[in-house]
Amino acid sequence: MAEANGGRLKDVSFELLRWGKTLSETLEEPLTSVVLGHGVGESETQALIERGADRVLKCDHPALSCASVETQSRALSVMVLQENPSVVLASATTTGRSLLPHLAAKLGTGLTADCTELFIDEKTGDLIQVRPAIGGNIMARIRTPHHRPQMATVRPHSALPLPHNPSRRGEVEVVPFHAEWEDTRVRRIDFTPSSQDEGIRDAEVVIAGGAGMRKGENVSMLRELANLLGGKVGASRTAVDRGWCAYPQQVGLSGKTVTPRHYLAVGISGAIQHLAGMKTSETIAAVNNDPDALIFKVADFGIVGDVFEILPLLIDRLRKESHHAF
Amino acid sequence: MRIAVTVKQVPETGDVKMDEVTGTLVREGCESIMNPLDLHAVEAALVLTQNHGGEITVISMGPPDAERALREALSMGCHQALLITGRAFAGSDTWATALALSHALRQCGPFDLILCGEKATDGETGQVGPELAALLDVPLVTYVGRIVEVQKGKIIASRYLEDGCEKIEADLPALLTVVRAVNSPRLPTLRGKKAARSAGISHLDESQLGLDPERIGLRGSPTRVEKIYRPQITRTSRIFHATDEKKAQDAVEEYITFLREKGVLR
Ligand SMILES: Cc1cc2nc3c(=O)[nH]c(=O)nc-3n(C[C@H](O)[C@H](O)[C@H](O)COP(=O)(O)OP(=O)(O)OC[C@H]3O[C@@H](n4cnc5c(N)ncnc54)[C@H](O)[C@@H]3O)c2cc1C
Ligand SMILES: Nc1ncnc2c1ncn2[C@@H]1O[C@H](COP(=O)(O)O)[C@@H](O)[C@H]1O
């Protein structure tokens, strides 16, 4: 499943193709990317082929672009029954995590949520689905031995997309939308995009600040860093309680769980309630002046030092970096 | 309004112990509680019946001890409780759980609204709600962070998505899964607690639900947990002490290298 937003494909679609590609090569089956939506252009579907898909099935209709899980699930179930794939994957986003269970229940097959790794068992040809459970304290290996298709949602940022390969060829098939697929029981009546700092759940990089930031004004340094690294600003509960950041930015037990490619904790002690929301990030770095801060226990990279010394140096250094890049 | 809320009993802490030899979870010595997100679903139901009248039925599938989670919901103000229980249900995956819940909801319905938590803290799949909606063929609204209003057979609610907030109108009956932001759950009153202690909780087994034993529990579950293990700690933990300006600069330089190695800086 590719995921589109207003005609543009989201990055997670390409990450998913990397997993799909490895599996399809082992199974010696073609890799099909399914695009349900409205107004997804040719350059977008071409990009799916250049980044791993052998085929693209595209169904384009206004009814597929919003709200109704039922409409998408009907369209998809018809395609799955026709194509008979051995594996169906979607990203573990709010969309994928709503659509796939709906589809799995209709098809009467199993589904594994939020996988971080997928591979084929060479002996049986079964898909092995690996996922963290219980706050990342335990990993589980799951298989779907007797039901097909085998279905999984895959955690965003668990793989890097394959590079563009302009010489790859593949076909794009247009699937006509059937009027009876449309379910009008759920309707979108409004949409408010989140502000720049709020969309931390699917950010690639999260720069989070805590009590160590000392003042609300200093959060601007985090924003600057986030801009330089292409990320969003997150916060500990203390930073939110003090009004320096907004609640949608809170990471942790009573805030959001994030799994970005990189999480930088600045002036955050690493209380267990905070760790609960970020410890399964792919890489973690921390800046804290207390060498015994718990955050260092989960960090891949740590700087023991003063925020107000380190951050200006880092911002300066990254600015130079981005000058080089352009 | 007739509202059903599905609640699950889960182990209390995130620190569930594991038997390293058998690779199974050790449940003994671990307190059980109602799944925290289900408290929000219960609260949402209570607010709706306060404003519109009606009755709330809480339903759980689990061991007899899951009665405690149901009693907690009763003590908060829910009206009836049902427990789907029996040896045959052991080992159910999300599909088998949703199937059993769908039978119970059909039998005790019709309901105008079904509320579920976004996900349970033990399995963390968040699949049971959407699967249940598909099996019951009622409209599904996930990630609800605000219930705006209910009127004339419709519900209006806001969904919290990655890139914004979507306002939805859905025809009733519908199934909603709620996130924490939807409300703050009330505490049970003393009177509520007393009443809940002696309230009757109906038990339902597979034959009462008309379920084929082949389709429930481990046997009826399409997925199999083959193995559980502790994740390997892959954190490299490189720590730099920026005790003076030179060391601070070196540390920043190392950090840049680190970001490049990890593909964060390209
Ligand atoms: C039920 C419950 C739910 C909770 N949910 C959450 C949650 O969702 N998210 C969350 O974050 N918390 C949550 N908490 C709160 C949590 O326990 C901690 O209190 C909170 O995370 C601490 O935030 P902090 O790290 O910003 O502050 P502190 O713990 O005060 O840490 C500040 C850190 O900054 C460092 N520092 C100070 N000055 C500097 C400087 N100049 N340079 C470098 N470092 C400096 C200090 O050494 C310290 O380590 C919850 C608590 C409870 C009881
Ligand atoms: N055994 C169960 N009994 C009742 N409700 C459940 C059960 N399992 C899951 N649910 C409901 O489904 C939601 C999502 O759970 P899960 O899919 O297990 O993460 C929970 O918040 C409950 O509302």
Side-chain angles (χ1 to χ4, degrees):
Chain A
M1 289 295 305
E3 203 173 301
N5 182 8
R8 292 289 312 269
L9 292 173
K10 295 192 186 173
D11 284 346
V12 287
S13 314
F14 302 110
E15 293 171 9
L16 203 56
L17 283 178
R18 173 176 285 248
W19 286 114
K21 185 92 195 130
T22 319
L23 300 178
S24 79
E25 278 168 3
T26 318
L27 289 169
E28 297 177 18
E29 287 174 26
L31 174 60
T32 306
S33 183
V34 179
V35 186
L36 303 179
H38 185 52
V40 177
E42 229 169 88
S43 61
E44 297 288 286
T45 46
Q46 186 56 31
L48 289 167
I49 289 171
E50 289 176 10
R51 305 183 94 168
D54 299 313
R55 261 169 98 223
V56 175
L57 284 184
K58 180 172 128 172
C59 187
D60 194 283
H61 192 272
L64 288 169
S65 68
C66 58
S68 173
V69 176
E70 289 73 19
T71 305
Q72 297 214 344
S73 174
R74 276 184 204 161
L76 199 55
S77 67
V78 170
M79 291 184 210
V80 167
L81 291 174
Q82 235 159 43
E83 298 279 322
N84 206 16
S86 49
V87 175
V88 175
L89 304 178
S91 300
T93 55
T94 53
T95 306
R97 295 189 70 157
S98 306
L99 177 57
L100 252 63
H102 198 278
L103 179 69
K106 283 178 77 155
L107 296 172
T109 187
L111 170 66
T112 302
D114 219 12
C115 296
T116 50
E117 203 192 330
L118 297 167
F119 59 91
I120 301 293
D121 175 1
E122 304 270 344
K123 271 199 227 107
T124 58
D126 285 349
L127 176 69
I128 307 295
Q129 304 142 47
V130 182
R131 69 178 298 253
I134 321 195
N137 288 313
I138 280 170
M139 300 297 286
R141 250 192 204 191
I142 294 166
R143 90 162 77 215
T144 315
H146 309 299
H147 295 69
R148 291 296 180 269
Q150 307 161 90
M151 295 179 49
T153 58
V154 182
R155 190 175 271 202
H157 312 307
S158 59
L160 282 170
L162 291 165
H164 276 285
N165 177 355
S167 64
R168 271 187 62 87
R169 295 283 171 266
E171 42 173 332
V172 178
E173 277 170 50
V174 175
V175 179
F177 183 80
H178 292 246
E180 68 269 21
W181 291 347
E182 184 165 1
D183 188 327
T184 55
R185 292 177 299 175
V186 179
R187 302 164 292 273
R188 173 188 269 197
I189 51 181
D190 190 25
F191 186 76
T192 323
S194 45
S195 78
Q196 205 259 342
D197 278 347
E198 293 180 4
I200 57 170
R201 202 153 43 186
D202 68 343
E204 292 249 331
V205 174
V206 174
I207 311 291
M213 296 307 296
R214 297 244 177 89
K215 276 193 209 151
E217 293 99 275
N218 297 328
V219 173
S220 63
M221 287 200 287
L222 302 178
R223 226 170 276 133
E224 169 97 53
L225 264 181
N227 280 338
L228 287 162
L229 288 169
K232 298 272 163 81
V233 176
S236 74
R237 180 156 116 179
T238 306
V240 172
D241 285 349
R242 295 189 185 166
W244 305 343
C245 294
Y247 174 70
Q249 291 170 268
Q250 183 173 317
V251 174
L253 193 64
S254 43
K256 293 203 173 96
T257 301
V258 296
T259 55
R261 191 155 282 150
H262 186 62
Y263 189 93
L264 172 63
V266 184
I268 291 179
S269 58
I272 182 144
Q273 295 89 351
H274 187 79
L275 299 185
M278 45 66 74
K279 74 174 171 199
T280 53
S281 301
E282 205 177 315
T283 55
I284 297 171
V287 179
N288 197 305
N289 60 8
D290 172 9
D292 298 321
L294 281 173
I295 193 77
F296 288 125
K297 295 249 187 304
V298 299
D300 303 282
F301 192 98
I303 300 180
V304 181
D306 188 79
V307 166
F308 302 98
E309 183 177 1
I310 305 296
L311 255 51
L313 282 174
L314 183 58
I315 288 169
D316 212 41
R317 183 65 183 74
L318 283 168
R319 276 200 194 126
K320 283 192 194 119
E321 195 76 18
S322 57
H323 279 303
H324 278 301
F326 296 112
Chain B
M1 286 187 94
R2 292 199 70 207
I3 305 180
V5 185
T6 59
V7 305
K8 186 178 188 183
Q9 197 181 38
V10 297
E12 171 156 25
T13 59
D15 286 329
V16 177
K17 291 184 190 64
M18 197 173 82
D19 185 325
E20 303 278 350
V21 184
T22 59
T24 52
L25 294 181
V26 181
R27 302 252 178 196
E28 291 91 71
C30 197
E31 269 296 303
S32 294
I33 53 166
M34 189 196 312
N35 177 36
L37 275 160
D38 298 348
L39 287 170
H40 295 266
V42 169
E43 176 66 29
L46 290 168
V47 172
L48 285 171
T49 52
Q50 271 164 10
N51 296 339
H52 301 275
E55 276 201 349
I56 306 167
T57 305
V58 275
I59 301 192
S60 189
M61 181 178 103
D65 184 56
E67 267 198 8
R68 288 196 298 119
L70 291 171
R71 283 193 202 283
E72 187 177 350
L74 290 173
S75 70
M76 289 167 75
C78 295
H79 306 88
Q80 269 121 234
L82 287 176
L83 180 64
I84 306 170
T85 191
R87 289 235 134 255
F89 292 105
S92 296
D93 72 356
T94 62
W95 189 86
T97 303
L99 184 75
L101 288 171
S102 74
H103 276 243
L105 287 166
R106 279 229 173 82
Q107 212 166 77
C108 312
F111 293 100
D112 301 301
L113 185 66
I114 299 155
L115 293 168
C116 305
E118 179 213 338
K119 59 184 176 188
T121 50
D122 55 352
E124 294 184 302
T125 77
Q127 291 179 176
V128 170
E131 290 181 325
L132 192 52
L135 293 173
L136 292 170
D137 191 29
V138 295
L140 167 67
V141 187
T142 49
Y143 299 96
V144 169
R146 200 160 88 86
I147 295 177
V148 184
E149 61 177 320
V150 171
Q151 57 159 325
K152 299 196 199 89
K154 295 189 185 78
I155 187 162
I156 297 179
S158 295
R159 305 179 62 208
Y160 288 14
L161 310 179
E162 288 89 350
D163 40 17
C165 184
E166 181 181 63
K167 204 171 183 186
I168 287 286
E169 182 183 76
D171 295 345
L172 298 178
L175 185 147
L176 270 56
T177 74
V178 301
V179 300
R180 269 184 215 104
V182 76
N183 53 37
S184 350
R186 68 193 64 190
L187 292 171
T189 58
L190 221 60
R191 227 181 56 204
K193 274 191 185 167
K194 238 174 155 177
R197 220 172 290 147
S198 55
I201 292 182
S202 336
H203 284 208
L204 290 168
D205 64 19
E206 65 279 15
S207 62
Q208 283 158 308
L209 288 175
L211 274 162
D212 178 354
E214 290 295 318
R215 297 178 77 203
I216 58 172
L218 190 61
R219 264 202 291 175
S221 296
T223 61
R224 288 292 138 81
V225 176
E226 192 167 73
K227 186 177 152 194
I228 59 174
Y229 56 97
R230 272 192 203 289
Q232 286 137 339
I233 308 297
T234 48
R235 306 269 173 222
T236 40
S237 265
R238 280 192 260 162
I239 307 284
F240 291 83
H241 291 260
T243 40
D244 58 36
E245 206 188 316
K246 170 81 178 54
K247 292 220 171 86
Q249 247 152 19
D250 291 348
V252 166
E253 212 48 56
E254 289 289 341
Y255 182 47
I256 301 281
T257 312
F258 172 83
L259 289 176
R260 204 169 279 125
E261 272 170 23
K262 300 294 178 189
V264 180
L265 262 184
R266 268 170 255 169

